[in-house]
Amino acid sequence: MIIEKPGLLSTIQDLGRKGYKRYGIISSGSMDQIAHRIANMLVLNDEDDEAIEITMTGPVIQFQNDAVIAITGGQLSPAINEEKIEMYRPVLVRAGDVLSFGRAKEGIRSYLAVHGGFSVDRVMQSASTYLRAGIGGYKGRALKKGDVLPLKRTISIDEWDKPIKWSANRFNHSQDMMPKTIRVIKGLQYDAFTEDSQRSFEEKEYTVMPDSDRMGYRLDGENLSLKEQREFISEAVSFGTIQVPADGQPIILLADSQTLGGYAKLAQIATVNRSILAQSKPGDRLKFNVIGLNEAQRLLIEQEQELQILKRAIALEME
């Protein structure tokens, strides 16, 4: 694959660098992990195989070999040779075909998986790109014009060359309904906030600010304050931790966030709703729904069961 135009930010990601947080090594990995997993399922890869995370403005890519691809996540108007293609299904491309993207209609991040995966070096058992450290993915950086991205293996396209009339689009979580409702569970310092702040967090809307990135979303909304000013011991944080610094405006930590945080931890995004969060862009309005841990676990189990049913259905369709 030759990158003719890189787009705004296109990086290789898998499901993250696991097992190194105790050494201060962040996870990275795809922001929308459900979309990433489904993209790989659709091309019969392992769910954790590499995919290209495409943010907001997509790249232009020319294929040097026949390939089977799938694009999931945000609707960024993908096209092959300028003809629109459907997302959430396998798509056959021929050598010489050009994949491009158009206007962002829903969401902010698309995932491009190719049958067989990409041949890139793994750092600490992961192919995820961590831009600040310059490790992982393709040379530790975002894709640039002229990059040649090798595939692990090429295939005989004939075995895929049949009409594919189904899709997995019902798993698309990038719809732009406003405000987006995101389930959270209470954080370790939830009770340290005033009752007015707790009420504001649960009832008011917060807006994603422009200075947001893969490290964190800065939010703008009702000020949140502690019952008494105090300092907290730095402790472990993760994807979805909502911290509130001294200015009272929440920050949601994301895939490239640090491993420790010393701000008050108000809440934690329920894992089942991470994809909705990951597809939020600057200007989007968020509303938080506090649920219990048991409910969060139940919803996540249901989501995983649906994904495994989808995986089996895809395998049957492709037999």
Side-chain angles (χ1 to χ4, degrees):
M1 293 169 51
I2 299 176
I3 308 300
E4 295 188 343
K5 292 182 181 177
L8 180 65
L9 178 64
S10 302
T11 60
I12 298 286
Q13 301 289 344
D14 57 20
L15 295 184
R17 199 161 276 110
K18 301 179 179 69
Y20 294 93
K21 278 193 170 183
R22 55 182 164 167
Y23 305 117
I25 306 296
I26 70 168
S27 296
S28 293
S30 287
M31 290 275 285
D32 184 345
Q33 303 222 334
I34 298 299
H36 179 116
R37 291 169 63 186
I38 293 174
N40 274 318
M41 287 181 194
L42 289 166
V43 295
L44 304 185
N45 288 348
D46 290 338
E47 296 175 29
D48 192 27
D49 277 351
E50 311 84 7
I52 299 178
E53 181 178 89
I54 296 161
T55 303
M56 188 71 84
T57 303
V60 176
I61 300 173
Q62 185 184 74
F63 287 81
Q64 294 179 298
N65 301 98
D66 296 345
V68 178
I69 68 171
I71 300 171
T72 60
Q75 173 52 274
L76 306 186
S77 307
I80 294 288
N81 302 330
E82 299 185 350
E83 289 192 11
K84 179 183 174 183
I85 59 173
E86 292 194 49
M87 297 174 58
Y88 283 87
R89 67 169 57 187
V91 176
L92 313 178
V93 296
R94 298 286 185 181
D97 283 351
V98 175
L99 170 66
S100 60
F101 293 81
R103 188 169 66 88
K105 293 181 178 177
E106 294 176 346
I108 188 174
R109 294 180 173 87
S110 283
Y111 293 85
L112 166 62
V114 178
H115 175 69
F118 302 102
S119 181
V120 294
D121 293 334
R122 301 181 80 80
V123 177
M124 301 177 204
Q125 291 84 49
S126 171
S128 283
T129 308
Y130 176 30
L131 294 172
R132 284 183 172 82
I135 62 171
Y138 186 86
K139 301 181 179 180
R141 61 168 170 77
L143 298 176
K144 294 181 179 179
K145 180 180 179 180
D147 285 345
V148 178
L149 194 55
L151 305 181
K152 283 180 182 171
R153 59 181 181 272
T154 57
I155 63 163
S156 169
I157 202 169
D158 292 338
E159 63 187 88
W160 292 73
D161 204 359
K162 59 182 180 180
I164 296 171
K165 298 180 180 178
W166 50 270
S167 79
N169 197 46
R170 71 185 180 91
F171 286 87
N172 186 357
H173 297 286
S174 60
Q175 287 85 357
D176 279 345
M177 295 188 333
M178 292 296 157
K180 295 184 175 183
T181 299
I182 296 179
R183 299 179 180 94
V184 301
I185 58 176
K186 294 178 180 177
L188 289 175
Q189 284 89 41
Y190 181 88
D191 291 335
F193 286 85
T194 65
E195 290 184 4
D196 284 346
S197 294
Q198 294 172 5
R199 192 176 305 111
S200 294
F201 176 67
E202 296 182 35
E203 296 178 356
K204 303 291 185 180
E205 296 177 5
Y206 285 83
T207 303
V208 179
M209 298 297 289
D211 55 345
S212 298
D213 56 19
R214 281 178 47 89
M215 185 175 180
Y217 280 173
R218 290 186 176 276
L219 304 183
D220 179 56
E222 199 81 18
N223 258 28
L224 305 175
S225 57
L226 298 167
K227 293 174 181 172
E228 58 182 52
Q229 290 305 314
R230 50 180 288 201
E231 293 185 352
F232 297 93
I233 297 173
S234 291
E235 55 193 348
V237 292
S238 64
F239 192 139
T241 299
I242 302 178
Q243 294 192 125
V244 181
D247 66 3
Q249 297 298 300
I251 299 171
I252 308 177
L253 301 181
L254 302 171
D256 281 355
S257 69
Q258 70 278 16
T259 58
L260 295 174
Y263 296 134
K265 284 158 281 295
L266 174 63
Q268 181 75 32
I269 302 292
T271 304
V272 70
N273 280 165
R274 278 187 188 173
S275 289
I276 298 174
L277 178 69
Q279 293 295 347
S280 302
K281 57 185 178 299
D284 282 359
R285 292 174 288 117
L286 309 181
K287 197 167 186 312
F288 299 103
N289 178 21
V290 178
I291 61 174
L293 178 60
N294 289 340
E295 176 71 356
Q297 291 174 332
R298 183 187 67 79
L299 292 167
L300 182 61
I301 289 170
E302 287 181 358
Q303 185 181 64
E304 287 299 317
Q305 289 172 337
E306 289 182 6
L307 286 170
Q308 293 313 306
I309 291 171
L310 172 66
K311 191 174 183 178
R312 289 197 293 273
I314 292 171
L316 288 172
E317 291 282 355
M318 300 308 293
E319 282 184 356

